[in-house]
């Protein structure tokens, strides 16, 4: 790769601090995205009636996350970018957020002024969803013409079945399983079923990820369950749900249960705060581990050949 090439890692985002005002600002931008909330009426209700009600409670969750985890999503993203930049000669690697700071606009503008001519953008979501990667691609397509007409941009839209990702995640999960683990949940962020019916490929890709992992994880396939979490608002959401399935197997006498998150590459509120209140062994996400940096470097290199 040439010196005029940059890699841009993108995550959803995070409030600048764990206070109601910052959380309100972040949630307003996030939940006002039509790629996230399809209904204009629902976005109006959320923006004008619900965000203020939930800002304080959500800020308390972020405070627990920041204090307990010790690092924000921005910290972990920057650490991963730094590792990749050392691996990829003559290539800038930076991180940005779809919502909040550092924003896509700010980071892309900075790269333009550094005379970068080619950018490979990698949304750090293994599975493609219109609500995540789709929103990022759409946003970039709108702001890019305003920044530069010479900048060439490409995307890695998913890596849910990439052998480097699957092997890395398998080894990571296996290294955290105890010898007496009786059951493992593979838990993914849920999605409204209406989005699935409209053609969002996310759920199908999640199922494919689970099937690939089941072939390599050191547990019998019938001891591994595919579940979802993180419902938001009303309507029907994709299941089965982690909480319900956990209650069912504990009633059957299963005690030693672990959970991993193949749809999340970084730990966040959903993996640590939401699930942390359940009686489960939490297997951390890949975060900025050396193993994940190595696997991501291989994914990037294979796409650039």
């Amino acid at each position: 790769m040439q010196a005029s090439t940059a890699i841009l890692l993108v995550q959803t985002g995070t409030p600048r601090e764990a206070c109601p005002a910052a959380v309100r600002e972040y949630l307003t931008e996030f939940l006002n995205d039509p790629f996230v909330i399809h209904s204009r009426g629902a976005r109006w209700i959320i923006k004008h009636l619900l965000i203020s009600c939930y800002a304080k409670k959500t800020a308390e969750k972020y405070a627990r996350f920041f204090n307990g985890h010790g690092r924000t999503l921005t910290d972990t993203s920057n650490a991963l970018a730094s590792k990749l930049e050392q691996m990829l000669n003559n290539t800038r690697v930076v991180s940005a957020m779809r919502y909040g700071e550092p924003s896509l606009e700010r980071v892309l503008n900075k790269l333009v002024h550094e005379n970068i001519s080619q950018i490979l953008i990698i949304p750090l979501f293994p599975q493609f969803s219109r609500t995540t990667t789709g929103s990022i691609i759409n946003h970039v397509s709108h702001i890019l013409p305003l920044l530069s007409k010479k900048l060439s941009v490409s995307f890695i839209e998913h890596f849910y079945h990439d052998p480097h990702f699957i092997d890395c995640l398998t080894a990571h999960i296996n290294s955290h399983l105890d010898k007496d683990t009786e059951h493992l949940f593979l838990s993914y962020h849920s999605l409204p079923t209406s989005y699935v019916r409209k053609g969002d490929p996310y759920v199908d890709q999640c199922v494919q990820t689970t099937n690939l992992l089941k072939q390599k994880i050191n547990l019998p396939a019938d001891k591994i369950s595919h579940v979802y979490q993180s419902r938001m608002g009303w309507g029907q959401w994709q299941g089965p749900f982690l909480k319900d399935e956990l209650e069912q197997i504990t009633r059957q006498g299963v005690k030693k249960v672990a959970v991993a998150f193949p749809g999340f590459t970084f730990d966040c509120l959903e993996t640590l705060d939401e699930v942390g209140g359940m009686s489960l062994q939490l297997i951390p996400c890949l975060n900025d581990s050396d193993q994940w940096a190595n696997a991501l470097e291989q994914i990037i290199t294979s796409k650039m050949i």
Side-chain angles (χ1 to χ4, degrees):
M1 285 177 273
Q2 304 299 317
S4 60
T5 299
I7 306 295
L8 176 55
L9 309 179
V10 186
Q11 266 286 6
T12 299
T14 181
R16 65 180 185 277
E17 57 183 312
C19 69
V23 169
R24 190 179 302 112
E25 178 184 348
Y26 168 71
L27 290 178
T28 298
E29 183 182 8
F30 174 39
L31 297 177
N32 201 42
D33 183 352
F35 277 70
V36 175
I37 308 294
H38 290 184
S39 167
R40 181 179 297 179
R43 293 198 303 274
W44 189 94
I45 293 172
I46 291 169
K47 180 179 180 180
H48 295 281
L49 300 178
L50 298 182
I51 287 178
S52 294
C53 298
Y54 287 105
K56 182 178 179 181
K57 184 177 181 180
T58 305
E60 292 171 354
K61 293 180 179 180
Y62 273 106
R64 287 198 299 269
F65 173 69
F66 292 165
N67 294 332
H69 191 48
R71 295 189 299 172
T72 67
L73 189 63
T74 304
D75 296 331
T76 314
S77 299
N78 289 339
L80 180 61
S82 179
K83 286 185 177 181
L84 280 170
E85 190 168 79
Q86 294 177 28
M87 296 176 181
L88 297 165
N89 295 330
N90 299 319
T91 304
R92 288 275 282 124
V93 183
V94 293
S95 66
M97 301 296 172
R98 171 63 183 89
Y99 316 101
E101 294 292 339
S103 68
L104 276 168
E105 295 94 327
R106 184 189 300 272
V107 174
L108 285 171
N109 188 57
K110 182 178 179 181
L111 292 175
V112 168
H113 284 84
E114 292 178 7
N115 295 319
I116 296 294
S117 61
Q118 298 181 31
I119 301 178
L120 175 62
I121 298 179
I122 310 172
L124 289 171
F125 312 101
Q127 300 81 21
F128 179 95
S129 174
R130 190 170 181 268
T131 62
T132 52
T133 300
S135 176
I136 291 168
I137 293 173
N138 177 72
H139 193 53
V140 170
S141 72
H142 280 84
I143 63 178
L144 193 60
L146 304 176
L147 300 175
S148 172
K149 295 182 179 180
K150 298 180 180 179
L151 192 62
S152 174
V153 172
S154 58
F155 293 86
I156 293 180
E157 297 188 5
H158 56 69
F159 47 87
Y160 68 95
H161 60 351
D162 188 287
H164 305 300
F165 168 67
I166 293 296
D167 289 347
C168 175
L169 185 55
T170 300
H172 178 75
I173 292 173
N174 284 336
S175 71
H176 284 83
L177 288 176
D178 294 334
K179 292 181 179 180
D180 56 348
T181 298
E182 298 175 77
H183 201 92
L184 171 69
F185 287 112
L186 299 179
S187 187
Y188 300 80
H189 198 295
S190 188
L191 193 71
T193 55
S194 61
Y195 292 16
V196 180
R197 288 195 296 269
K198 291 177 182 177
D200 195 303
Y202 170 76
V203 166
D204 180 62
Q205 293 181 5
C206 289
V207 171
Q208 292 185 58
T209 301
T210 289
N211 290 338
L212 290 169
L213 291 171
K214 279 185 174 183
Q215 298 173 24
K216 298 189 174 187
I217 290 174
N218 294 333
L219 278 175
D222 62 351
K223 303 299 181 184
I224 302 173
S225 295
H226 179 98
V227 295
Y228 296 90
Q229 61 178 90
S230 307
R231 285 172 283 186
M232 181 179 65
W234 52 89
Q236 185 177 2
W237 286 66
Q238 183 69 36
F241 300 108
L242 172 60
K243 183 178 179 181
D244 298 338
E245 296 299 301
L246 175 62
E247 291 175 353
Q248 181 175 332
I249 68 166
T250 52
R251 285 197 297 267
Q252 296 171 359
V254 178
K255 296 180 179 179
K256 190 71 173 181
V257 183
V259 58
F261 307 94
F264 299 83
T265 52
F266 289 171
D267 279 307
C268 54
L269 285 188
E270 285 84 355
T271 66
L272 294 181
D273 191 87
E274 177 187 344
V275 180
M278 303 181 189
S279 300
L280 291 160
Q281 176 203 353
L282 301 184
I283 296 177
C285 293
L286 294 170
N287 294 311
D288 61 333
S289 65
D290 291 343
Q291 295 86 348
W292 176 222
N294 288 327
L296 191 51
E297 187 270 337
Q298 291 176 306
I299 293 171
I300 292 168
T301 301
S302 67
K303 299 297 183 181
M304 299 295 289
I305 294 176

